[in-house]
Amino acid sequence: MLREAAQWLARADLGTLDEAAFERWRAEDPRHALAFIRVSEAARRVTTDGAEAPAVKRARKLDPTRRGAIAAGLAVFSLGGGALIAGKVNARDRASTPVGGMRHVNLADAGGLTLNTDSAASWKADHQGLRLWLERGEIALDITAGARPVHLKGGVVGALLGPGRYNARLREGLLDLVVLKGEASAEGSNAAPVHGPAALALTPERPLARPLSEQDIAATLAWRSGEILFVDEPLSSAIEEYNRHLTRKIVLADPQLSGLRVGGRFVADDPSAFLRALETTMNVRVTPSQQAMLLSRKNS
Amino acid sequence: MSHLRPIDQWFMDQILPLEPMLLASARKLVNDPDAARDLVQEAFARLLTVEGWAQIEAPHPYLLRMMRNLAFEKLRRAKIARFEQLTLAEDFDVVDESPDAFRVLSGREQLAQLDAALKDLPERCRRVFVMRRIEERSPREIAKHLGVSPSTLEKRLARAHYLVAKALAPTPALPLEDRPAKTDEGRRKNSTKRS
């Protein structure tokens, strides 16, 4: 039955579906309808939810045509020119936060900057406007209306940000830029700017734009109020996220737990509610040690 | 253009994510994995014929009750009833009330599963799937690019859809730690109205 449903779905995909025949087949037996739901959902998950999975990423990278990549929801920019040479380090203002800290800084008339846990940023105003370097961690950036565009740099990549609201996070050589409101264009690129809400992953190769869901936006905003928001995240990445805020880290002692999916809103600097929820609702035991909180499986 | 009706969309969003948990629950009613799968499948098929599906506010307890009734129907028809299963089925439709902020949504390593589903496809099927579904190229372009007829294209894509769906077939959720059973009748009756 799944085979038949797959056949119908392939026809629908290719525009060769005989609508009337399909409707007849679907109405014939609820198991037919169910099989069609299953194949549709499986294809959707591989295509959409699996977009982060290596196979899909590779598939996307393999695509040599610009057209194909755009169709896949990625914007392709040609990254011309080299990286800009950063200004004199000693002339910059700088702010940083320790693990578990958060700090707000006013950027003269350009707007405001909030540093998340374990983060560092420096900035400098010159005739071109404000230049801002994200050196470590994550920042939220508000650029006031009427202010000049801000040059944001993180690692070797950068972007020009118009008035609006942004979130930038540095991770493994890429700058993850979330445009909540405003307009951002990747540095060295002559492609059209990205308008919020959208996200832009700036990599040395090329910037990748992606649309933002309500959940992405909520998760991005959560830390500004000292919260952490997980929406159906694997436990391993939830812990990674939490550990950014903790001096006493959470450690997965049993790798088998890493794929459990978790969700919820928690206080960023106090993991006790999070750990309690893990213990009461999942097959997880929490064992505190001096340096860490160890997570293992309860005996089932 | 989507060929999904409102009920299909609802089913995808609200019902399919419950399947790992329903499969785990089904194992309490029937004693082998295949029978559990059939039971869930049957409840699903039946749910798709329910006229008032849009009014079902708590599908999880609704489906559990449906599964229990189906299992009982089967037991009544069976020649030898298994008594131990009837007793296990007590309190079956009481959904474990986890704190709202936290719940197990599905099995482990979903991403790896999605990745494998695509990677394990035969090369020829994967190419068609990727070109159509991920790169969203036109059927004509794909047929030309691969130098195959439209019917070959259809066969390969159909096979890809079939294998992907098979690879993503849900597995039972990990059993939650046993908690005191809730026996309060009123609560149980209300459970269908809870949103």
Side-chain angles (χ1 to χ4, degrees):
Chain A
M1 221 168 295
L2 213 52
R3 245 180 247 277
E4 276 177 58
Q7 185 82 41
W8 289 113
L9 183 61
R11 287 180 192 153
D13 278 357
L14 298 171
T16 55
L17 185 72
D18 176 343
E19 303 281 344
F22 169 66
E23 291 302 342
R24 260 199 313 280
W25 172 81
R26 177 155 67 182
E28 213 167 74
D29 188 330
R31 285 174 302 172
H32 290 174
L34 177 58
F36 190 74
I37 291 172
R38 286 192 188 281
V39 290
S40 304
E41 172 69 359
R44 186 201 65 76
R45 285 181 56 205
V46 167
T47 316
T48 320
D49 300 353
E52 291 305 309
V56 175
K57 275 195 195 150
R58 262 199 311 285
R60 286 194 163 141
K61 273 196 197 129
L62 278 176
D63 170 35
T65 69
R66 186 185 155 83
R67 189 173 152 203
I70 289 169
L74 308 171
V76 182
F77 304 93
S78 62
L79 199 67
L84 286 174
I85 294 156
K88 281 181 228 133
V89 175
N90 55 11
R92 300 183 202 166
D93 288 321
R94 195 167 183 278
S96 65
T97 50
V99 171
M102 205 206 284
R103 196 174 159 192
H104 186 80
V105 184
N106 277 323
L107 296 171
D109 39 25
L113 174 73
T114 312
L115 289 96
N116 200 353
T117 171
D118 194 19
S119 302
S122 55
W123 58 94
K124 184 182 163 226
D126 61 14
H127 61 281
Q128 289 184 308
L130 188 79
R131 288 161 166 257
L132 175 65
W133 288 263
L134 175 57
E135 298 172 355
R136 187 174 81 236
E138 181 172 26
I139 52 168
L141 181 62
D142 287 317
I143 304 173
T144 41
R148 300 173 69 181
V150 172
H151 287 262
L152 173 70
K153 294 280 285 179
V156 298
V157 295
L160 193 62
L161 313 177
R165 240 179 162 198
Y166 306 88
N167 195 88
R169 181 166 171 190
L170 207 54
R171 45 175 132 200
E172 277 103 52
L174 79 82
L175 181 62
D176 209 356
L177 179 67
V178 172
V179 184
L180 296 160
K181 213 171 72 192
E183 188 183 273
S185 40
E187 208 170 81
S189 144
N190 47 16
V194 171
H195 293 268
L200 200 54
L202 298 161
T203 68
E205 291 85 35
R206 64 178 193 196
L208 301 173
R210 63 175 194 275
L212 273 185
S213 70
E214 291 283 308
Q215 289 175 355
D216 294 334
I217 294 170
T220 305
L221 291 174
W223 72 261
R224 296 196 193 194
S225 41
E227 293 171 334
I228 277 190
L229 179 66
F230 301 126
V231 181
D232 191 16
E233 282 223 44
L235 184 56
S236 53
S237 60
I239 286 174
E240 196 181 306
E241 204 60 36
Y242 229 122
N243 279 343
R244 294 170 61 207
H245 302 267
L246 305 175
T247 41
R248 193 181 179 200
K249 307 284 187 201
I250 305 171
V251 175
L252 260 185
D254 186 340
Q256 290 224 15
L257 290 173
S258 64
L260 286 176
R261 310 292 285 199
V262 300
R265 193 185 274 275
F266 301 95
V267 182
D269 57 10
D270 178 9
S272 54
F274 174 70
L275 295 171
R276 207 161 45 239
L278 278 177
E279 265 199 318
T280 50
T281 63
M282 294 195 171
N283 194 29
V284 172
R285 183 192 308 284
V286 181
T287 317
S289 81
Q290 271 192 335
Q291 291 88 27
M293 309 292 286
L294 300 171
L295 303 189
S296 56
R297 268 185 301 176
K298 287 178 192 164
N299 296 327
S300 45
Chain B
M1 185 180 50
S2 167
H3 288 82
L4 299 169
R5 305 162 297 178
I7 189 175
D8 299 327
Q9 204 59 59
W10 169 76
F11 204 92
M12 281 181 174
D13 296 343
Q14 304 284 317
I15 309 301
L16 284 185
L18 299 174
E19 196 168 10
M21 283 160 299
L22 294 172
L23 283 169
S25 304
R27 284 302 302 277
K28 293 184 192 164
L29 292 167
V30 293
N31 64 347
D32 73 280
D34 286 343
R37 211 164 278 284
D38 289 349
L39 187 61
V40 173
Q41 177 87 359
E42 209 178 326
F44 278 3
R46 202 168 278 207
L47 184 59
L48 281 170
T49 64
V50 171
E51 293 270 343
W53 59 270
Q55 272 76 55
I56 301 173
E57 281 184 19
H60 197 168
Y62 186 96
L63 274 161
L64 288 175
R65 254 194 321 281
M66 209 171 197
M67 278 160 52
R68 185 173 65 171
N69 293 342
L70 286 167
F72 280 8
E73 253 173 58
K74 278 210 175 70
L75 276 177
R76 274 196 288 273
R77 285 195 304 261
K79 281 176 185 156
I80 304 163
R82 288 186 293 263
F83 294 103
E84 76 279 16
Q85 286 187 8
L86 285 166
T87 48
L88 263 176
E90 282 286 312
D91 263 344
F92 183 74
D93 61 345
V94 180
V95 178
D96 204 337
E97 272 186 282
S98 310
D100 283 334
F102 216 96
R103 64 197 176 107
V104 185
L105 283 163
S106 61
R108 52 182 70 182
E109 284 158 17
Q110 283 206 4
L111 261 192
Q113 198 196 15
L114 294 174
D115 188 36
L118 196 56
K119 241 183 358 201
D120 293 348
L121 287 177
E123 172 62 25
R124 293 195 298 186
C125 299
R126 186 174 60 234
R127 285 193 76 182
V128 177
F129 185 92
V130 167
M131 289 174 99
R132 184 69 194 117
R133 276 287 177 146
I134 296 171
E135 298 170 8
E136 293 179 14
R137 299 201 207 190
S138 74
R140 185 195 294 259
E141 195 185 334
I142 301 168
K144 204 175 138 199
H145 186 86
L146 298 177
V148 297
S149 69
S151 81
T152 305
L153 204 59
E154 186 184 304
K155 271 187 206 123
R156 289 185 188 170
L157 187 55
R159 179 142 183 82
H161 277 322
Y162 169 68
L163 292 172
V164 163
K166 254 182 74 161
L168 296 186
T171 47
L174 295 174
L176 294 173
E177 190 76 352
D178 280 342
R179 298 208 271 146
K182 295 163 189 118
T183 47
D184 174 19
E185 271 307 307
R187 158 177 266 158
R188 209 201 292 188
K189 281 192 189 108
N190 286 333
S191 64
T192 44
K193 290 176 198 128
R194 216 174 43 227
S195 59

